[in-house]
Amino acid sequence: MATANGFATAMAGTTVESFLCRTQRPSQLGVGGASHRRPRFPKPNGRPAAVSPRCEVTSNVGLQDSKASSISALEQLKTSALDRYTKERSSILVIGLSVHTAPVEMREKLAIPEAEWPRAIEELCSLNHIEEAAVLSTCNRMEIYVVALSWHRGIAEVMEWMSKTSGIPVSELRQHLFLLRDNDATQHLFQVSSGLDSLVLGEGQILAQVRQVVKVGQGVVGFGRNISGLFKHAITAGKRVRTETNISAGAVSVSSAAVELALMKLPNSDPNSARMLVIGAGKMGKLVIKHLASKGCTQVVVVNRSEGRVSAIRDEIKEIEIIYKPFTDMTSSAAEADVVFTSTASETPLFSKEEVEKLPPASSGVAGVRMFVDISVPRNVSACVSELDSARVYNVDDLREVVEANKEDRYRKAMEAQAIITDELKQFEAWRDSLETVPTIKKLRAYAEKIRTAELEKCMSKMGEELTKKEVRAIDDLSRGIVNKLLHGPMQHLRCDGTDSRTLSETLENMHALERMFSLETDLSILEQKIRSKVEQSQK
């Protein structure tokens, strides 16, 4: 089991194997004959996405269909381990891989396009022990965040889902996945949002990507209160780190690191000694152009499907001449370029070995060798291109050479940011703790209101119809005031939001005492509701 980045707090001495052996036999976890391919989520029009042609040899053997009876599993949950489930609240888990734990060849097989995040959330939440879910999939990471009714069973279910959607056997996934639970999972996401877990420390694009998870998740069944709150607190942590520290000062992005790498590999490091081509005018492509301009590059050709975006970039970045070419001219533009940056969302390679081999040699300024800098995941340039003598291919994993510089200064900045993250962690845990008592607070208020209303009606019937509206309102206000004052003490002892020294265990003791005194529903009913909801989902 791979570990997360050094800034993340890993679960000491814990492996995926130790989790899984408690819940399922190895034979239940294997995906026999699974071919190594990208997730095949259906397209919006209902057709499955095409499998990306790569250099790897793939197997045509289909996935074994292992449909377990979800209803019987839930019934077993209700009867066999009820006591433990009522004592443990649901766990927050993150299971995933990143640039720190897996090569790009593995990450691109598991990458999930943004348009498919809602579908992935719904599929994850249809699993027996998963209540809520979110997907964070970027060029540097693919992470699944879930709230699990049972954390060890939830881990097994999510890993099996990842295996089925990617076609990668669980045994192979384990070598690259990292796993964090509860406080460690929360801290990891806060570090990700703050740029501490990025290949380029402090890069700002990841915060926008975390925001996008919340935006996409709005209204999606399964993107529930806990997961939504987790990501919103992570955004707050990321914003605080960037405003209260200088972690972003001098920080580079993946795009700028790509430009730095390209210049390092040029014979004389002069951007004007080579003909520059950028394919894709999205956020990454725009940043490539911006950093080329900052390095003194005077001209760049940009290939994009539409000219509108290129024109907008041209209006914003006036220090460099930007020449637009349509996508149909991509091959001819590459033939006239020495350095090709690719940053598109294409799920299939734009350049194959055969296509690049047919291109004329690059200029003498780069010794006739064309350079491809591919910062896309899935990759836009087939790995086989690197086998040609006339081309060199670099991908996001090769950017380490650039970001290793000034490592000591990067760690110092990270430690400053960690203090803010620790503070935000406390606030999130206090918020989550406060959710434990919300059902009891609501039930207690409803119980008190039921008594107040009944007694008020008795009083009104005895007093007859001679009362004016003003007098009726005064009596009603009086009854409400009495109830509120009586409830004030109990409500204060149910608070667990970090504003006082009361621990969660003390608050839960108070909660259980009130439930017994007023014959309120117990935690068991909440569990029953969760199980009933899961059963209903499985029957749809």
Side-chain angles (χ1 to χ4, degrees), residues 324-379:
Y324 166 73
K325 295 287 185 179
F327 224 76
T328 52
D329 292 351
M330 181 183 69
T331 303
S332 60
S333 297
E336 299 173 358
D338 300 317
V339 179
V340 180
F341 296 92
T342 60
S343 61
T344 79
S346 173
E347 295 186 20
T348 57
L350 302 179
F351 292 97
S352 65
K353 179 180 178 180
E354 293 73 22
E355 291 169 334
V356 174
E357 194 170 21
K358 295 176 183 178
L359 297 177
S363 68
S364 57
V366 292
V369 179
R370 184 171 284 102
M371 187 190 311
F372 290 88
V373 184
D374 185 3
I375 55 176
S376 304
V377 176
R379 288 170 291 178

Side-chain angles (χ1 to χ4, degrees), residues 110-128:
L110 282 151
I112 301 176
E114 183 182 308
E116 301 297 339
W117 291 357
R119 189 187 304 276
I121 292 171
E122 292 176 2
E123 289 184 3
L124 285 163
C125 290
S126 69
L127 302 175
N128 287 348

Side-chain angles (χ1 to χ4, degrees), residues 109-408:
K109 292 172 185 174
L110 282 151
I112 301 176
E114 183 182 308
E116 301 297 339
W117 291 357
R119 189 187 304 276
I121 292 171
E122 292 176 2
E123 289 184 3
L124 285 163
C125 290
S126 69
L127 302 175
N128 287 348
H129 298 87
I130 304 302
E131 299 178 87
E132 303 176 25
V135 176
L136 176 60
S137 183
T138 73
C139 62
N140 283 333
R141 68 186 67 250
M142 202 294 282
E143 299 175 354
I144 303 293
Y145 291 82
V146 298
V147 174
L149 188 62
S150 164
W151 60 266
H152 49 295
R153 286 180 172 86
I155 290 165
E157 290 175 355
V158 173
M159 286 186 62
E160 190 169 346
W161 179 86
M162 294 174 76
S163 175
K164 286 181 179 179
T165 56
S166 65
I168 304 172
V170 171
S171 58
E172 187 176 343
L173 277 176
R174 287 178 189 164
Q175 301 173 33
H176 301 284
L177 291 177
F178 67 86
L179 162 66
L180 297 168
R181 176 189 173 198
D182 290 328
N183 190 66
D184 291 333
T186 303
Q187 178 169 259
H188 173 72
L189 180 58
F190 285 15
Q191 289 169 337
V192 168
S193 183
S194 302
L196 297 189
D197 195 62
S198 298
L199 181 63
V200 182
L201 186 76
E203 60 102 355
Q205 192 170 7
I206 185 61
L207 180 58
Q209 290 163 335
V210 172
R211 280 197 185 102
Q212 194 64 17
V213 172
V214 177
K215 183 178 179 181
V216 172
Q218 297 302 316
V220 177
V221 175
F223 191 78
R225 178 171 58 179
N226 286 276
I227 285 291
S228 176
L230 172 66
F231 273 81
K232 287 176 181 176
H233 276 80
I235 292 169
T236 299
K239 288 162 65 176
R240 279 193 62 193
V241 165
R242 286 170 173 79
T243 55
E244 297 178 28
T245 73
N246 64 345
I247 194 169
S248 297
V252 290
S253 64
V254 170
S255 298
S256 64
V259 172
E260 291 284 353
L261 178 66
L263 296 182
M264 286 171 56
K265 301 300 181 181
L266 288 177
N268 57 5
S269 299
D270 180 6
N272 292 310
S273 66
R275 299 167 295 176
M276 300 290 180
L277 171 65
V278 177
I279 299 177
K283 293 179 181 178
M284 303 281 276
K286 177 183 176 180
L287 287 173
V288 167
I289 298 168
K290 182 178 180 180
H291 288 287
L292 281 172
S294 70
K295 294 297 181 180
C297 182
T298 57
Q299 186 184 86
V300 62
V301 176
V302 180
V303 170
N304 198 54
R305 296 192 185 280
S306 62
E307 189 173 2
R309 278 189 175 179
V310 179
S311 298
I313 296 173
R314 187 186 293 121
D315 292 339
E316 182 179 339
I317 307 173
K318 301 183 181 297
E319 301 87 355
I320 186 172
E321 181 185 359
I322 300 174
I323 301 171
Y324 166 73
K325 295 287 185 179
F327 224 76
T328 52
D329 292 351
M330 181 183 69
T331 303
S332 60
S333 297
E336 299 173 358
D338 300 317
V339 179
V340 180
F341 296 92
T342 60
S343 61
T344 79
S346 173
E347 295 186 20
T348 57
L350 302 179
F351 292 97
S352 65
K353 179 180 178 180
E354 293 73 22
E355 291 169 334
V356 174
E357 194 170 21
K358 295 176 183 178
L359 297 177
S363 68
S364 57
V366 292
V369 179
R370 184 171 284 102
M371 187 190 311
F372 290 88
V373 184
D374 185 3
I375 55 176
S376 304
V377 176
R379 288 170 291 178
N380 289 166
V381 181
S382 176
C384 307
V385 174
S386 60
E387 298 171 4
L388 299 173
D389 294 333
S390 60
R392 284 181 293 171
V393 181
Y394 301 97
N395 58 50
V396 288
D397 288 357
D398 297 308
L399 301 183
R400 297 178 189 275
E401 187 176 345
V402 176
V403 301
E404 282 299 310
N406 303 318
K407 196 170 186 177
E408 185 176 334

